[in-house]
Amino acid sequence: MAIIEVVEYEGPPGVFAWRYPNQELGTWTQLIVHETQEAILFKGGRALDSFVAGRHTLSTANIPILSNLINLPFGGKSPFTAEVWFVNKLRSLDVKWGTVSPIQLQDPKFNIIVSLRAFGQFGVEIEDARKFLLKLVGTLPSFDQDTLVKYYRGVLTSNINEMISSYIIHKKISVVEINAYAAEISKHVRDTIAPSFEEMGISLVNFFIDSINFPENDPSTQRIKEALAKKAEMDIIGFTYQQERSYDTLESAAKNPGSTAGIVGSGLGMGLGMAGSMYDAVQQMAGNVKVQTTSDMDVKQKACVTCGQLNAADSKFCSACGQSLTLGAAGIPAKKIVCSDCGQPLPPNAKFCLNCGDPYNACPACGYDFKIGSVNCSSCGTLLPKLCRECGEWMDPKARFCPGCGTSSILKCSNCQAEVQHGQKFCMECGHAQT
């Protein structure tokens, strides 16, 4: 057994605090504190003296506070019971963090519910060793980076969720553009959570968001990526979505020359600006076949001018693609549909406005493009479908629960919890304003 014990710590840099296992410290014990450390001596659960870098001899003569607490009957040479904590004051700049579960948000540009994940790192430095040990470490034998992240996971996650949601919703940034604002979000999160670290004696040196990404198997994200890739392809080639559909229609007509759908679809494609040579070819092809009209059928039917699907004569919309079947003498829709966002006309079978990119949300009765959140159609007054607040699935306007996820669609007053209707500005029970 050593006559004089040497107490020091040379562990990994990721450990912020470590307790020396032996509490029976004899007098003349040599305490060695390195440059990046600070040692705190505890007796009876109280933090007594602190030691900076250097070699220190532990005896009652060198520990003034301890000498007032212990009665030594052996002239200062008896061993005493005490704890020695080493606190690492070196800056640790690689503390990793990440969201536990994906954040569910609605993309403001595409109106699709998507899932986001965020990852990054931050740096810390122990400023007040006493405060750090007393308020955060407690009775743990050691305190490392994983323990720190575990303690602050709730603070980090709540602030990250709030900041990312605020940027996407209030600034109307698409989820595919959010990484461009990672530096701004990082600064706001750091300013928000820094005080909670300071309360524990820790200085938050920096905070970074390395990546905001999506789960690979998220179907909503895949739909956005495919749509953007398709748009980029059409921009490079130099034609629009409407023209591409016209090419597809003519190609289908060429493969099925004897069908009513092929002839009607070909006429639509030519009306949308197809080349004259293709027009002549299709006309020649149509002249060589016998076309079966609706008068030849037992049941009266009419073909959709967009996809060629046969529908009942009294149908207002195509059962295959949803295109309006109410046509005038010249084959033009009796009621022109315009974008609810920019007012530009929408082409047949369009899913997005060609001018501003706003999604086409058709009224089930008249086909009028309505804004998300509208209760009744401003054109015909029909009660409109509504989006589920949880999964983004379209629901029947009278449905009380979402058919996709089962979430209740009933809105309640935030003050008295009475049921309120969509679009209602004040509660009928308490008069509280609804937001």
Side-chain angles (χ1 to χ4, degrees):
M1 179 178 179
I3 300 176
I4 299 177
E5 189 172 2
V6 178
V7 178
E8 65 177 331
Y9 176 66
E10 295 180 350
V15 176
F16 295 115
W18 178 77
R19 182 180 62 191
Y20 187 72
N22 186 12
Q23 299 182 14
E24 297 291 337
L25 302 178
T27 189
W28 302 311
T29 295
Q30 298 299 300
L31 174 65
I32 299 177
V33 183
H34 297 285
E35 284 290 343
T36 59
Q37 299 175 348
E38 180 178 347
I40 305 293
L41 188 66
F42 279 77
K43 174 64 178 177
R46 294 177 55 190
L48 303 179
D49 294 274
S50 63
F51 301 88
V52 296
R55 179 186 290 270
H56 307 274
T57 301
L58 298 183
S59 65
T60 54
N62 296 332
I63 310 175
I65 301 178
L66 183 64
S67 63
N68 295 329
L69 298 176
I70 303 176
N71 296 320
L72 298 178
F74 302 105
K77 297 182 180 181
S78 175
F80 56 89
T81 302
E83 294 180 0
V84 177
W85 277 90
F86 290 91
V87 178
N88 184 6
K89 306 194 74 174
L90 183 68
R91 286 189 174 187
S92 183
L93 304 179
D94 60 343
V95 183
K96 308 294 183 181
W97 64 267
T99 52
V100 180
S101 57
I103 309 169
Q104 301 293 326
L105 293 172
Q106 182 177 10
D107 189 288
K109 288 190 177 181
F110 303 104
N111 295 320
I112 297 177
I113 303 297
V114 295
S115 301
L116 292 181
R117 300 177 302 186
F119 302 92
Q121 63 183 30
F122 60 91
V124 294
E125 180 183 5
I126 309 300
E127 280 194 341
D128 192 327
R130 285 176 179 268
K131 184 185 295 185
F132 174 69
L133 291 175
L134 294 175
K135 289 193 173 185
L136 199 58
V137 178
T139 59
L140 296 175
S142 64
F143 194 96
D144 56 12
Q145 288 187 3
D146 293 337
T147 309
L148 180 68
V149 173
K150 178 181 177 181
Y151 275 36
Y152 281 92
R153 179 174 288 124
V155 177
L156 291 172
T157 303
S158 62
N159 284 278
I160 287 291
N161 292 359
E162 179 183 356
M163 289 298 174
I164 293 179
S165 302
S166 298
Y167 268 77
I168 288 180
I169 296 174
H170 298 301
K171 294 193 176 184
K172 296 188 180 300
I173 301 169
S174 175
V175 293
V176 297
E177 304 168 345
I178 191 62
N179 271 301
Y181 298 84
E184 293 183 27
I185 299 176
S186 299
K187 182 179 182 302
H188 285 295
V189 174
R190 180 190 181 281
D191 295 340
T192 304
I193 67 176
S196 62
F197 279 85
E198 292 175 359
E199 291 178 0
M200 303 300 174
I202 305 173
S203 173
L204 186 62
V205 180
N206 53 46
F207 185 90
F208 299 109
I209 296 178
D210 294 336
S211 174
I212 302 176
N213 54 45
F214 321 96
E216 292 296 331
N217 57 352
D218 182 40
S220 299
T221 306
Q222 294 299 326
R223 290 172 58 191
I224 294 179
K225 289 181 178 179
E226 291 172 2
L228 292 176
K230 193 67 175 179
K231 182 179 183 300
E233 178 184 351
M234 290 189 292
D235 290 342
I236 294 173
I237 297 175
F239 61 90
T240 64
Y241 177 81
Q242 177 183 359
Q243 291 172 330
E244 184 187 30
R245 289 302 302 270
S246 301
Y247 281 109
D248 295 338
T249 302
L250 280 177
E251 184 179 0
S252 300
K255 294 179 179 178
N256 301 281
S259 67
T260 305
I263 303 303
V264 176
S266 302
L268 172 64
M270 293 176 292
L272 294 175
M274 299 302 298
S277 59
M278 298 183 70
Y279 174 82
D280 295 336
V282 174
Q283 289 297 320
Q284 183 178 3
M285 175 186 66
N288 294 329
V289 298
K290 180 180 182 301
V291 180
Q292 183 182 16
T293 63
T294 55
S295 60
D296 299 328
M297 304 179 184
D298 296 333
V299 181
K300 291 185 177 181
Q301 294 179 311
K302 53 185 175 182
C304 173
V305 297
T306 299
C307 66
Q309 174 71 23
L310 294 178
N311 299 272
D314 57 348
S315 300
K316 294 183 179 180
F317 295 91
C318 176
S319 60
C321 66
Q323 174 62 40
S324 174
L325 300 177
T326 308
L327 303 177
I332 306 298
K335 188 172 184 179
K336 183 170 67 175
I337 306 299
V338 298
C339 174
S340 61
D341 189 48
C342 66
Q344 294 297 318
L346 295 172
N349 202 36
K351 295 183 179 180
F352 296 88
C353 175
L354 298 179
N355 182 57
C356 66
D358 187 60
Y360 172 37
N361 303 306
C363 169
C366 68
Y368 178 80
D369 182 26
F370 65 90
K371 289 183 177 294
I372 292 180
S374 302
V375 179
N376 296 93
C377 176
S378 57
S379 176
C380 65
T382 301
L383 198 61
L384 297 172
K386 53 189 177 182
L387 279 175
C388 173
R389 300 192 304 273
E390 183 68 22
C391 67
E393 183 82 13
W394 285 105
M395 300 187 297
D396 184 90
K398 297 182 180 180
R400 301 177 68 86
F401 295 91
C402 173
C405 66
T407 302
S408 174
S409 63
I410 301 175
L411 299 179
K412 294 186 178 181
C413 173
S414 58
N415 183 45
C416 67
Q417 300 301 310
E419 182 176 347
V420 296
Q421 300 299 322
H422 289 273
Q424 187 174 325
K425 296 183 178 180
F426 296 92
C427 175
M428 300 297 291
E429 297 293 332
C430 65
H432 185 72
Q434 304 302 304
T435 57

